[in-house]
Amino acid sequence: MYIKNELNNSLDKFKKLINNCKIYIDTSSLLNFAFERWLDRYLPVLKQQNNYLIILPKVYDELKLNMQNDDLNLASVTKNVVQRLLDLENKNLIKFEQSDIEKTSASYFNDFFKDKKDQNCLLITNDYDVYKSIDCDIKISRINKSSDMSKFRHDDISKIDPRVLRLNQSAFKAAKAIISSDDAVNKISKIPAVGSTVYDDNGNKISILSEISAGGEGIIYSTNTEYVAKIYKKEHNTQHKFQKLKLMLGTSFDCTGVCYPTSLIYNTNSKSEFVGYLMPKASGEELQKSVFIKPLFERKYKSWNRIDLVELLVNILHKIVYLHSKNIIIGDINPANILFVSPREIYFVDTDSYQVGPFPCPVGTVNFTAPEIQGIHYGDFLRTMEHENFAVATLCFMIMMTGKTPYSHQGGSDPAHNIKKMLFPYRFEGNVTNEVPDGMWKYIWSHLPYKVKEGFYNTFSRDGSCSRPDKRLSSSEWLDIFKYYLKLFRRGNLQEQDSMSIAIWPTRSKKVINKNF
C-alpha cells in the first residue's frame, strides 16, 4: 500500500510539473541508470497530456560520440538509449529540436533557455554543473535513484570533498591519494531505533520496524519499505562515511543481489542529521557457515553436487566483474559477506566498506590479502586491482575446495607467513610436493579440469606465470575459466571421463588425466 500510494503521488506531481510545459532532457539523464524505469513510469502521463521529450542538438551529438567511446559498456548503453529515442520519435513522444547556439559552448543550456524566457520550460538533467550554470527562470529537475523526479539541493553537496564530487559517472575514477585522515564524528541529536521515523533523500518518511542484525559499526533494521536500513552507531557516524556514501550514490549502479546503498537516511526532513542508509534486503546462508564447513554443507544442501558449486561460483564472479567494471574494489572479499539462497540467488553485503575513489576499504582478512600487502593496516592505503585479483583467486579456490585455503599445507606455519612464501602444495604437471594437506583435498584437486588447475597453480605458486601482481588473472578471466568448467559439465564431458567428477567430495583421484579437461 505504501509503495502504491507513493507511486500515485509521484504521478500526480509529474502531471503538475509538466502541465503546459516544454520538456527538455540532457545526456546525463538519458544515460542515468534509472532512466529506463523512469521512462516506463511516466510515458503514460506524457501520452495522456499529448506531451513529449525534446532532444537538443548538443545532446544528440554527445550521444553519437558516446556510441563510439572506447568504454564498451558506455557505448552499448548509449546505443540502446538512442534506439529507444528513435522508437519513441516514431510515436511522437520524442522530438529533436534545432538550435543555432554553438554546441561546444560551456553555457549552452543557459544561453538556449534565455531565448525561451516567455515559455514554460522544464530541463531534466542529472549534471550538477549544468544545473549550477543556469541563471534564467526555468524549472530544473533530475531523475533520482528511485526512478522519480527530484530537485537539486545545495545541501546535497556542501560537505563533500571536491575530489569525490562525481555526479552521474558510469564508473568511479581511480584516486591517486587516500582521503585525508582528518575525519570527524557527525553531531546528531539521537540514534534512530525501533519505532523511529527517518527520512530518505527524497523526503519520504521511513518507519524503523524491527532489528535484523547488529554489527560493529551499526544495526540493520527492517522498514515499511522494500529496503532495510543500516543505522550507524554514534562513534561510526563520521564525515568520511557521509562523503563516501554520497559518492557511491552519485554513480549509476544496477546489479541485482549486491546490497548497494539506494538512499541516505536522516533524522529530519531537512536532511540535517545523517544517520545511515537504505539498501536492498539480503537472504540466505553465508558461504563461511555453509559451503566452507563440510558437516553444515552436507546437512543443509544434500541435493547439491559439483555442478551446483561451479554454478554458484560463476554467478558470484558475474557480480564481482560488474563491480570491477565500475572501478569498485571490494577489498574485504570475505565468505561471511557473501550469502546465497541457491546457485543463482546470491547477495553481497557490507557494501559500504568497498573501496571507491579516495576512500579505502578499512577491513580485510589475512587469507584474502596479497603477499605484498601482508601486515599493512588496511585503512592506510588504497588497494589496487592487482591486490583484488589475488583475493578473487583465493575465493575461487576456497569455493572449489569447500573452505581449504590455497597455502594450507603440511608443515606450514601461520597463514600470513604461508602466503608470503607462496609455497603452493598441489601437483601440476611436473611440479610435485609432499605437502598437500591430509584428507580429501588431493582428490578434489585431481578432479578439477586442467584449465582450472593451471589458473590456480600459475597464480599461487611462486614460480607460476601469473604469480607476479601485474600478471594475476582478472575477475573476468576467472569467470571465463569457470564458465568453461560449467560447460564441460553441461555437455557431459567430465561425467563421461569419470563419473566421480560430479561429486563435491570425491573419494579417489581422477581415473583419466586429460589436458583438454
Side-chain angles (χ1 to χ4, degrees):
M1 182 62 70
Y2 170 85
I3 295 171
K4 184 176 180 181
N5 288 339
E6 286 299 308
L7 178 58
N8 290 336
N9 290 337
S10 298
L11 294 175
D12 289 340
K13 288 178 183 177
F14 187 68
K15 288 175 185 176
K16 293 176 183 177
L17 182 66
I18 68 169
N19 187 39
N20 296 318
C21 190
K22 295 189 74 172
I23 311 166
Y24 297 83
I25 187 165
D26 84 341
T27 313
S28 64
S29 292
L30 290 170
L31 297 183
N32 187 284
F33 76 102
F35 171 69
E36 285 291 336
R37 292 196 295 271
W38 175 88
L39 197 59
D40 291 338
R41 174 181 290 183
Y42 291 117
L43 268 181
V45 179
L46 288 174
K47 292 177 183 177
Q48 185 182 30
Q49 297 202 3
N50 293 317
N51 211 330
Y52 48 85
L53 300 177
I54 301 170
I55 309 294
L56 291 172
K58 176 183 176 68
V59 174
Y60 193 55
D61 274 13
E62 288 173 345
L63 293 174
K64 286 191 289 186
L65 284 172
N66 279 342
M67 287 194 288
Q68 307 302 319
N69 199 287
D70 290 338
D71 182 338
L72 298 181
N73 182 52
L74 175 60
S76 175
V77 168
T78 307
K79 287 175 184 177
N80 290 336
V81 168
V82 169
Q83 185 57 56
R84 185 81 190 270
L85 296 180
L86 294 175
D87 291 342
L88 292 173
E89 183 188 24
N90 293 332
K91 298 174 183 176
N92 295 317
L93 291 165
I94 289 285
K95 290 195 178 179
F96 293 88
E97 188 169 304
Q98 297 302 309
S99 168
D100 295 329
I101 296 171
E102 176 59 46
K103 286 180 281 190
T104 58
S105 169
S107 59
Y108 178 91
F109 289 101
N110 192 53
D111 294 342
F112 177 82
F113 287 114
K114 277 182 178 177
D115 293 337
K116 304 284 184 181
K117 57 186 176 181
D118 295 329
Q119 298 182 23
N120 185 14
C121 296
L122 165 67
L123 173 63
I124 301 173
T125 178
N126 281 67
D127 189 328
Y128 181 76
D129 290 332
V130 169
Y131 158 73
K132 192 168 58 173
S133 71
I134 295 175
D135 59 10
C136 49
D137 187 22
I138 66 165
K139 301 174 186 175
I140 304 177
S141 194
R142 62 179 175 178
I143 299 172
N144 62 37
K145 287 166 286 298
S146 301
S147 307
D148 203 349
M149 304 289 287
S150 60
K151 295 179 179 179
F152 281 97
R153 296 184 184 182
H154 288 287
D155 63 338
D156 285 349
I157 52 93
S158 59
K159 297 181 180 179
I160 298 181
D161 186 307
R163 288 179 297 160
V164 302
L165 189 57
R166 302 282 188 265
L167 294 178
N168 203 46
Q169 295 284 341
S170 62
F172 291 99
K173 292 185 179 179
K176 295 181 180 178
I178 196 170
I179 194 77
S180 166
S181 60
D182 184 19
D183 198 5
V185 174
N186 294 317
K187 294 180 180 179
I188 57 173
S189 58
K190 62 178 180 178
I191 299 174
V194 173
S196 297
T197 297
V198 292
Y199 298 83
D200 69 11
D201 277 323
N202 299 316
N204 297 314
K205 288 184 178 181
I206 309 294
S207 298
I208 304 296
L209 299 183
S210 61
E211 182 177 325
I212 296 174
S213 63
E217 287 192 333
I219 298 175
I220 310 296
Y221 294 98
S222 65
T223 72
N224 62 326
T225 73
E226 61 185 303
Y227 302 106
V228 298
K230 179 171 182 177
I231 305 294
Y232 287 112
K233 296 177 181 177
K234 186 176 182 179
E235 65 273 21
H236 292 287
N237 186 333
T238 69
Q239 271 294 298
H240 282 183
K241 282 280 193 320
F242 174 75
Q243 292 175 357
K244 182 180 182 180
L245 287 163
K246 274 288 190 181
L247 172 60
M248 294 177 78
L249 288 164
T251 298
S252 61
F253 191 92
D254 190 8
C255 185
T256 301
V258 177
C259 298
Y260 193 85
T262 59
S263 175
L264 298 187
I265 46 180
Y266 308 85
N267 265 334
T268 68
N269 195 22
S270 63
K271 300 168 71 171
S272 59
E273 291 190 12
F274 159 73
V275 292
Y277 65 94
L278 296 176
M279 60 182 167
K281 184 178 181 180
S283 301
E285 296 279 348
E286 295 176 13
L287 281 178
Q288 182 65 55
K289 295 179 180 178
S290 52
V291 172
F292 287 10
I293 301 175
K294 185 180 178 183
L296 294 179
F297 195 11
E298 285 181 308
R299 186 170 73 248
K300 293 179 179 178
Y301 300 94
K302 294 179 181 178
S303 65
W304 277 41
N305 57 35
R306 188 153 285 268
I307 299 175
D308 297 295
L309 200 60
V310 177
E311 188 176 6
L312 174 72
L313 177 52
V314 165
N315 286 311
I316 287 171
L317 286 169
H318 272 298
K319 297 186 191 306
I320 295 175
V321 168
Y322 178 86
L323 289 166
H324 289 176
S325 77
K326 293 288 187 180
N327 265 345
I328 296 172
I329 289 178
I330 297 172
D332 185 24
I333 291 183
N334 184 332
N337 292 335
I338 299 175
L339 284 64
F340 67 97
V341 176
S342 72
R344 297 169 202 83
E345 187 179 350
I346 298 154
Y347 297 90
F348 284 19
V349 298
D350 199 24
T351 62
D352 58 335
S353 71
Y354 289 176
Q355 177 177 301
V356 292
F359 296 98
C361 172
V363 289
T365 54
V366 169
N367 284 329
F368 293 89
T369 301
E372 65 272 19
I373 56 171
Q374 284 287 340
I376 303 176
H377 185 264
Y378 297 114
D380 292 343
F381 69 104
L382 293 174
R383 288 180 236 203
T384 66
M385 200 58 78
E386 287 78 15
H387 302 151
E388 182 92 333
N389 288 339
F390 177 87
V392 171
T394 300
L395 179 67
C396 292
F397 185 90
M398 291 182 71
I399 291 175
M400 288 298 96
M401 304 295 279
T402 63
K404 184 63 73 176
T405 59
Y407 295 110
S408 176
H409 60 276
Q410 292 187 41
S413 56
D414 67 276
H417 182 71
N418 290 342
I419 290 170
K420 288 179 182 178
K421 281 197 310 180
M422 294 191 74
L423 176 60
F424 186 62
Y426 294 88
R427 176 176 184 162
F428 181 71
E429 294 191 329
N431 302 284
V432 183
T433 76
N434 295 316
E435 296 172 319
V436 177
D438 289 330
M440 61 192 164
W441 316 110
K442 64 181 178 181
Y443 299 140
I444 296 176
W445 174 260
S446 172
H447 281 270
L448 294 176
Y450 181 86
K451 281 189 177 181
V452 175
K453 292 180 186 175
E454 181 181 44
F456 285 148
Y457 176 82
N458 284 326
T459 296
F460 295 122
S461 172
R462 60 181 170 230
D463 298 321
S465 59
C466 303
S467 62
R468 281 176 38 191
D470 62 329
K471 297 294 184 181
R472 288 175 186 144
L473 298 175
S474 67
S475 55
S476 59
E477 288 174 309
W478 281 114
L479 176 58
D480 287 341
I481 288 171
F482 283 98
K483 283 167 69 176
Y484 170 76
Y485 190 178
L486 192 58
K487 186 185 293 185
L488 291 178
F489 272 132
R490 288 175 173 166
R491 288 176 174 173
N493 298 116
L494 298 179
Q495 300 93 309
E496 183 179 342
Q497 180 178 271
D498 190 326
S499 60
M500 195 171 278
S501 65
I502 205 168
I504 292 177
W505 300 285
T507 55
R508 58 165 172 77
S509 296
K510 185 164 61 176
K511 290 179 178 179
V512 179
I513 303 299
N514 186 331
K515 284 193 177 183
N516 291 322
F517 40 79

